[in-house]
Amino acid sequence: MQDGLEQELKDKRIRVLQTGVAGERGVRFAAIVNQLKHFHGRSGLGAVMGAKRLKAIVVRGSKPPVAADKDGARGTLTWFKEHYDRSKDRFHVYGTAGGIPSLEASGILPTRNFRDGSFEHFRAISGQTMAETILVNRGTCYACAVACKREVAVPELDVTPKYGGPEYESLAASGSLCGVGDLKALAKINQLLAQYVLDSISTGAVIAFAMECYEHGILTRSDTGGVELTWGNAAAVEQMTHLIGRREGIGRLLGEGVKRAAAALGRGAERFALHVKGQELPMHDPRGKKGLSLAYALSPTGADHMEAPHDPLYEGFHAQGHPLGPLGLIEPVKTLDLGPRKVRAFYLTQQVWSLYNSVGMCDFVGTPLNALDLEKLVGYVNSVTGWNMSLYEMLKVGERANTLMRLFNCREGFTPEDDLLPQRMHEGIGNGALKGERVDPEQFLAARRLYYEMAGWDPETGRPTAARLAELDVEVPAAAPA
Ligand code: SF4
């Protein structure tokens, strides 16, 4: 498709945003891809394109972007380069999969559909092993100094760097979550996910769900077309990826996502369907990072690991000046804590992450994961736009965006019943360093209620109150339900 469009338009400098066969055929978690390897995953936006019969959007830039204050904008970029050292940044050196060994050590590497937190083949699928074996280049989004992306080649499996390389989420979802520890096979599966333009998290998660159903006899070989859907069977994961991408055979059912597939199967399959609001869980375990239980339950789009920084960062708060100090976060908060301090840390940092979404800022470049601190970001936005906003005003942008998304969901009929975790999160992790750790249901509900109250949402209905809407200067049209 990309090559065909370049030939048809006789222009190699076009940029193509497209969905793939999965989006055309209505797989509910189809994604959108930019230039074959930059993905807009989660929430099934590719299925929306497919439903609208929109295959691709092609653009060709002709003018450079111009900042209102060129010197100011350039000054911030120079500052970033001076304060950022690629050679010491694990995102650059090992990519997102460089965190696999520490997740394993912490006992929270999602394994066998979140039954376990420790995976015996963790090292084989890590970013460190990738760097030593199949990595051929460190890719990047346009002009990014961090360059966290991977490009891999496995000639014997026809895996080419044209489609980039696997991120952590993809390696864990198709890998440890399905019990697969073969990096080359995972690189092949990753390429298939790219070619069908599938969300790699949801695809791996729905295959892991199917594996557990198979283990319990809810799915059989006659359902799978003869495929042995057993943990660790890389060929089976590859075959299922094809079937889901093409929406053929059992892929029709699995392409509906775990929530709908479990409802269709019945016989207790719901117990193995790990999702929030119909979106499959990402590859981070809230039982070992308790703030994530709020992130997963409260994200407007269903389980999402990019709502706020993860808990280990909260352990590093102190009063001597740290990147999130301007928010008033100065007391360290333990990773397994789900008390009021954790709720506050999550609530405040969620606004930063929402601000990043609002200005198109990558979480791996901004603070606290990288060097661009909040004041510098504010200065940069002002230099580019010509505005004169303060950090306070910008954080309010993030809070307002979260509140507007909440209002949207309330209008669409979502209630606190949708702000819950799958039952497995309230059961103990099966093995590893945090064996037996769980999210206590009462503690979770108390934390959720406190969050509602902090956010100015009615604790019973979860709806933003009139007072909070007035404070955020949000007007609800009279026609909308009160
Ligand atoms: S750090 Fe962010 S912007 Fe840079 S290459 Fe990685 S994902 Fe892209």
Side-chain angles (χ1 to χ4, degrees):
M1 177 82 181
Q2 176 99 20
D3 295 344
L5 284 167
E6 287 175 3
Q7 281 166 14
E8 186 184 326
L9 297 168
K10 298 186 178 50
D11 191 343
K12 283 261 174 209
R13 295 175 70 191
I14 59 168
R15 292 291 175 264
V16 179
L17 184 86
Q18 61 177 308
T19 189
V21 171
E24 290 167 24
R25 299 190 181 180
V27 177
R28 286 190 186 265
F29 43 85
I32 298 174
V33 64
N34 181 21
Q35 295 299 103
L36 300 180
K37 52 191 167 193
H38 302 284
F39 277 79
H40 306 265
R42 311 266 60 199
S43 309
L45 293 174
V48 177
M49 274 182 82
K52 294 181 183 299
R53 304 185 66 74
L54 173 61
K55 174 64 186 166
I57 298 171
V58 181
V59 296
R60 164 72 152 84
S62 56
K63 291 183 197 145
V66 181
D69 170 10
K70 282 188 210 164
D71 291 342
R74 201 175 295 123
T76 306
L77 297 178
T78 305
W79 181 94
F80 184 78
K81 278 189 191 146
E82 286 167 356
H83 289 77
Y84 170 67
D85 182 353
R86 255 186 184 189
S87 66
K88 294 197 179 110
D89 183 6
R90 82 164 165 85
F91 283 117
H92 176 72
V93 179
Y94 295 123
T96 48
I100 285 181
S102 61
L103 287 172
E104 167 68 24
S106 306
I108 46 172
L109 181 59
T111 301
R112 291 174 278 273
N113 204 24
F114 280 93
R115 231 163 42 191
D116 293 331
S118 168
F119 183 46
E120 56 280 14
H121 303 301
F122 77 92
R123 197 165 297 285
I125 65 169
S126 66
Q128 287 78 353
T129 299
M130 198 192 313
E132 290 163 6
T133 55
I134 61 175
L135 186 73
V136 294
N137 195 17
R138 289 175 172 84
T140 178
C141 300
Y142 176 71
C144 175
V146 177
C148 75
K149 302 224 166 185
R150 307 293 93 174
E151 294 183 0
V152 301
V154 186
E156 65 271 31
L157 297 178
D158 293 327
V159 175
T160 136
K162 186 175 175 181
Y163 295 97
E167 298 276 347
Y168 164 68
E169 296 292 327
S170 316
L171 285 168
S174 301
S176 54
L177 202 72
C178 295
V180 173
D182 179 339
L183 183 60
K184 289 185 176 177
L186 291 172
K188 175 72 179 179
I189 292 162
N190 182 67
Q191 181 162 299
L192 292 175
L193 291 162
Q195 288 169 327
Y196 287 112
V197 194
L198 281 163
D199 180 301
S200 65
I201 297 174
S202 288
T203 307
V206 79
I207 295 171
F209 156 80
M211 284 178 158
E212 199 159 7
C213 288
Y214 189 84
E215 187 179 54
H216 286 81
I218 298 169
L219 285 173
T220 64
R221 277 187 69 155
S222 72
D223 296 313
T224 62
V227 176
E228 283 283 4
L229 211 44
T230 46
W231 302 116
N233 186 345
V237 175
E238 184 176 333
Q239 184 62 15
M240 288 298 125
T241 305
H242 279 297
L243 291 175
I244 292 168
R246 294 185 194 135
R247 229 163 156 247
E248 290 175 356
I250 194 173
R252 288 190 78 81
L253 177 75
L254 299 183
E256 293 291 291
V258 297
K259 180 183 176 190
R260 287 182 172 84
L265 287 170
R267 288 171 288 151
E270 284 86 355
R271 180 165 147 58
F272 310 130
L274 274 66
H275 69 90
V276 178
K277 299 183 178 70
Q279 177 150 273
E280 291 75 15
L281 258 55
M283 297 302 109
H284 304 271
D285 196 328
R287 293 170 293 187
K289 293 178 179 176
K290 292 287 189 333
L292 266 187
S293 62
L294 295 172
Y296 283 8
L298 294 165
S299 160
T301 54
D304 177 17
H305 60 295
M306 302 303 277
E307 275 295 291
H310 292 191
D311 300 62
L313 277 160
Y314 303 151
E315 298 224 8
F317 292 163
H318 55 80
Q320 280 78 47
H322 71 94
L324 291 172
L327 303 182
L329 294 165
I330 54 173
E331 297 285 349
V333 192
K334 294 272 185 220
T335 291
L336 297 182
D337 183 341
L338 193 51
R341 259 197 191 137
K342 179 61 65 69
V343 179
R344 175 172 179 263
F346 170 73
Y347 175 64
L348 292 174
T349 55
Q350 187 193 27
Q351 290 168 25
V352 175
W353 251 233
S354 179
L355 167 65
Y356 286 173
N357 289 340
S358 297
V359 298
M361 171 81 183
C362 176
D363 298 341
F364 297 162
V365 177
T367 202
L369 294 184
N370 221 313
L372 193 67
D373 66 37
L374 290 172
E375 295 292 354
K376 282 278 178 298
L377 173 66
V378 170
Y380 187 62
V381 172
N382 285 334
S383 297
V384 169
T385 59
W387 300 335
N388 184 23
M389 289 179 76
S390 66
L391 174 59
Y392 175 83
E393 286 173 291
M394 288 207 188
L395 290 173
K396 282 288 168 191
V397 169
E399 188 182 4
R400 194 177 294 118
N402 286 335
T403 306
L404 286 169
M405 288 186 280
R406 184 70 182 186
L407 279 177
F408 179 95
N409 276 0
C410 289
R411 188 192 69 190
E412 298 303 310
F414 286 83
T415 72
E417 283 301 301
D418 299 293
D419 296 341
L420 295 173
L421 297 170
Q423 175 57 25
R424 181 157 286 174
M425 295 299 108
H426 300 302
E427 296 164 2
I429 300 175
N431 70 359
L434 283 184
K435 184 175 180 193
E437 187 68 35
R438 67 188 191 116
V439 178
D440 179 83
E442 284 182 19
Q443 207 182 20
F444 166 74
L445 287 176
R448 193 189 71 171
R449 183 182 177 99
L450 183 57
Y451 175 95
Y452 283 179
E453 290 178 340
M454 260 182 215
W457 299 355
D458 183 294
E460 302 304 326
T461 66
R463 175 181 292 280
T465 61
R468 182 49 57 97
L469 295 180
E471 193 267 333
L472 290 170
D473 201 17
V474 171
E475 285 181 30
V476 180

